[in-house]
Amino acid sequence: MPVTVLLVDDEPLVRAGLRAVLEAQPDIEVVGEAADGAGVIPLVRQLRPDVVAMDVRMPLLDGIEATRAVLRTVDAPPKILVITTFENDEYVYEALRAGADGFLLKRARPAEIVHAVRLVAEGESLLFPASVRQLAAQYGDEGGNRAARAVMERARLTEREAEVLRLMARGLSNAEIAARLVVGTETVKSHVSSVLAKLGARDRTQAVIAAYESGFVAPG
Amino acid sequence: MPVTVLLVDDEPLVRAGLRAVLEAQPDIEVVGEAADGAGVIPLVRQLRPDVVAMDVRMPLLDGIEATRAVLRTVDAPPKILVITTFENDEYVYEALRAGADGFLLKRARPAEIVHAVRLVAEGESLLFPASVRQLAAQYGDEGGNRAARAVMERARLTEREAEVLRLMARGLSNAEIAARLVVGTETVKSHVSSVLAKLGARDRTQAVIAAYESGFVAPG
DNA sequence: ACCGGCCTCCCCCGGGCGGGGGAGACGATC
DNA sequence: GATCGTCTCCCCCGCCCGGGGGAGGCCGGT
């Protein structure tokens, strides 16, 4: 069963681009399009897509309100992937707070876009880039624990995964983490892979960066 | 089982001070002393300490050569903690490159010294300890650039190397850095290797950690 | 009793990474 | 002119890393 996607963007060009990229994948199917947030809810009810790729900046009803509306009124709601042009778009964080599951840069490479859709479809959050940092800032970062907890909640890291991430952020290799936790290296690799997937990181370096940027670990 | 330590320093006063500080800990035991690097190897073979606290500047055989010698000739070698007087002692980085596991400032507070010994005993590298952060704090961190420059001076990174480190700290791979800087990947690898050597980092992840911990790059 | 999440470990496999060399070009310095 | 440092690129090589699978045990919720 393919992943079904609903595209919501006011620019036809963007919709066409996303459609082209996503339809090229055998396991992804674009089941519908909308030009603004107002028409999303009936479409979601009708098409029941797995994922809604939604622009934040739209006329009539923006992506944030649309996200809230969908999550509030539809049961078994789809995963919502926020589309944005700018990395530091403040609306993105609004959207994430509104319950979106991840975000997507328009200038991302096709492979990344496809990857993002698959990830959120599988139920994982996509948080990696600069966005998480802002999330931390929102919480005021008093003691840094709030931010860490917020990341935990969003990324839904398990206890073990969080533990592994902390050790990764101290520069330990898989073998060293394994020794520290008294488990096999294969086990550590498994946890590391989960962490990378949940954070949307490509390698351990990016995961550690995310850990610092989010306040999950603090310098000093 | 306590952590066993061998002290190697040409100044008796320093040895006495270290012994006093370390012996005060129930879990740390000073098992021997040496006044120069020449006598280290037999002592290590005989005493098999967990950690060797070794001065860099010593007569006969300096800490760098002694470190190399120990790591080359002894199997299951101890962790080596380099002792230095000056924060910007160029020999320290030589020693780290030679395989030392961390460094220690003579004027560090007792608690920090104890902490350092425990950390390396646990198998962790001590590359950018509190001293560097304090250095950053001294500069007031106005804009963070001063701290970054201070780290540059410490590690003596060239402009290009610093540039590469910044990109590494943004999660870019060697190929991506190469594309960004419009050079070959081999060139990037060369710079990365230099950065790792100068920072005493084992891999790019540790280098990025060092960048964050030192204030060379700042979260948020 | 069943199912799902978590933790644990295993396989194969490709590719990026890092070490260890070397080398040429350029500019600054001596 | 000679030397040194920097930047550039090249080689070989081993290994850790990460992806993609799968699988069993444990526990808690339904």
Side-chain angles (χ1 to χ4, degrees):
Chain A
M1 47 172 83
V3 175
T4 55
V5 182
L6 171 64
L7 305 180
V8 187
D9 196 306
D10 58 320
E11 299 175 30
L13 184 63
V14 173
R15 294 203 304 271
L18 284 174
R19 182 180 277 274
V21 167
L22 296 177
E23 292 274 306
Q25 303 300 318
D27 61 329
I28 299 181
E29 187 183 350
V30 176
V31 294
E33 296 184 13
D36 59 69
V40 170
I41 290 184
L43 272 176
V44 168
R45 282 225 174 89
Q46 180 195 334
L47 303 170
R48 306 214 64 80
D50 300 315
V51 178
V52 176
M54 177 131 54
D55 196 2
V56 264
R57 296 171 180 266
M58 286 185 301
L60 293 180
L61 193 68
D62 66 21
I64 300 160
E65 291 303 324
T67 297
R68 284 206 192 91
V70 168
L71 294 181
R72 194 175 55 236
T73 64
V74 179
D75 43 6
K79 303 295 177 180
I80 297 184
L81 204 48
V82 172
I83 306 171
T84 181
T85 308
F86 308 103
E87 290 191 16
N88 50 358
D89 190 330
E90 57 185 6
Y91 289 110
V92 175
Y93 319 113
E94 287 287 331
L96 289 176
R97 269 201 307 179
D101 298 281
F103 71 93
L104 196 53
L105 282 175
K106 282 182 184 171
R107 60 166 156 277
R109 294 176 318 218
E112 290 176 343
I113 293 174
V114 169
H115 185 58
V117 169
R118 288 208 187 95
L119 275 188
V120 294
E122 289 167 9
E124 303 204 29
S125 305
L126 207 64
L127 303 168
F128 165 61
S131 62
V132 192
R133 158 200 330 163
Q134 307 279 348
L135 188 72
Q138 278 178 9
Y139 281 90
D141 204 29
E142 296 157 2
N145 267 339
R146 286 234 189 85
R149 245 179 288 134
V151 172
M152 288 278 297
E153 289 168 18
R154 288 214 81 76
R156 293 191 170 71
L157 294 184
T158 66
E159 267 308 311
R160 206 53 160 171
E161 288 161 358
E163 210 170 351
V164 168
L165 177 56
R166 283 189 205 99
L167 294 177
M168 282 169 38
R170 291 176 68 178
L172 276 65
S173 67
N174 288 339
E176 288 169 342
I177 295 174
R180 180 72 65 94
L181 299 182
V182 200
V183 297
T185 58
E186 295 299 328
T187 302
V188 173
K189 285 178 59 177
S190 181
H191 290 312
V192 169
S193 289
S194 296
V195 170
L196 298 186
K198 288 185 178 179
L199 294 182
R202 184 181 50 195
D203 49 49
R204 66 202 298 111
T205 304
Q206 287 192 352
V208 169
I209 292 170
Y212 272 99
E213 293 292 338
S214 67
F216 180 77
V217 297
Chain B
M1 49 172 80
V3 175
T4 54
V5 183
L6 171 64
L7 306 180
V8 186
D9 198 305
D10 58 322
E11 300 176 29
L13 183 63
V14 173
R15 295 203 303 271
L18 284 173
R19 182 179 276 273
V21 167
L22 295 176
E23 293 278 13
Q25 303 301 317
D27 60 327
I28 298 180
E29 186 183 352
V30 177
V31 293
E33 294 184 11
D36 58 69
V40 169
I41 292 184
L43 272 177
V44 168
R45 284 225 173 88
Q46 178 194 336
L47 303 171
R48 304 214 64 79
D50 300 315
V51 178
V52 175
M54 178 131 56
D55 196 2
V56 262
R57 296 171 180 263
M58 287 186 299
L60 293 180
L61 193 68
D62 67 19
I64 301 161
E65 291 303 324
T67 297
R68 284 206 192 92
V70 168
L71 294 180
R72 195 174 53 236
T73 63
V74 179
D75 42 5
K79 304 295 178 181
I80 296 184
L81 204 47
V82 173
I83 306 171
T84 182
T85 308
F86 307 105
E87 293 191 12
N88 50 0
D89 190 331
E90 56 185 7
Y91 289 111
V92 174
Y93 300 101
E94 286 287 332
L96 290 176
R97 228 171 307 176
D101 299 281
F103 69 88
L104 193 53
L105 284 175
K106 280 182 186 173
R107 61 165 154 277
R109 294 174 320 211
E112 289 177 344
I113 293 175
V114 169
H115 185 57
V117 169
R118 287 208 187 95
L119 275 187
V120 295
E122 287 169 10
E124 288 199 33
S125 305
L126 207 64
L127 311 170
F128 274 75
S131 56
V132 186
R133 284 177 225 132
Q134 286 167 4
L135 189 71
Q138 279 178 9
Y139 282 93
D141 203 31
E142 295 155 2
N145 265 340
R146 286 237 187 84
R149 245 180 288 133
V151 173
M152 290 270 299
E153 290 168 16
R154 272 183 158 303
R156 291 196 167 68
L157 294 184
T158 67
E159 265 311 311
R160 206 54 159 172
E161 288 161 357
E163 211 169 351
V164 169
L165 177 55
R166 283 190 204 97
L167 295 176
M168 290 197 304
R170 292 178 65 179
L172 276 65
S173 66
N174 287 339
E176 288 168 343
I177 294 174
R180 182 76 65 95
L181 298 182
V182 200
V183 295
T185 57
E186 296 298 328
T187 303
V188 174
K189 285 178 61 177
S190 181
H191 290 312
V192 169
S193 289
S194 296
V195 170
L196 298 187
K198 289 184 178 179
L199 295 182
R202 185 180 50 197
D203 49 50
R204 67 201 299 110
T205 304
Q206 287 192 353
V208 169
I209 292 171
Y212 271 99
E213 292 292 338
S214 67
F216 179 77
V217 298

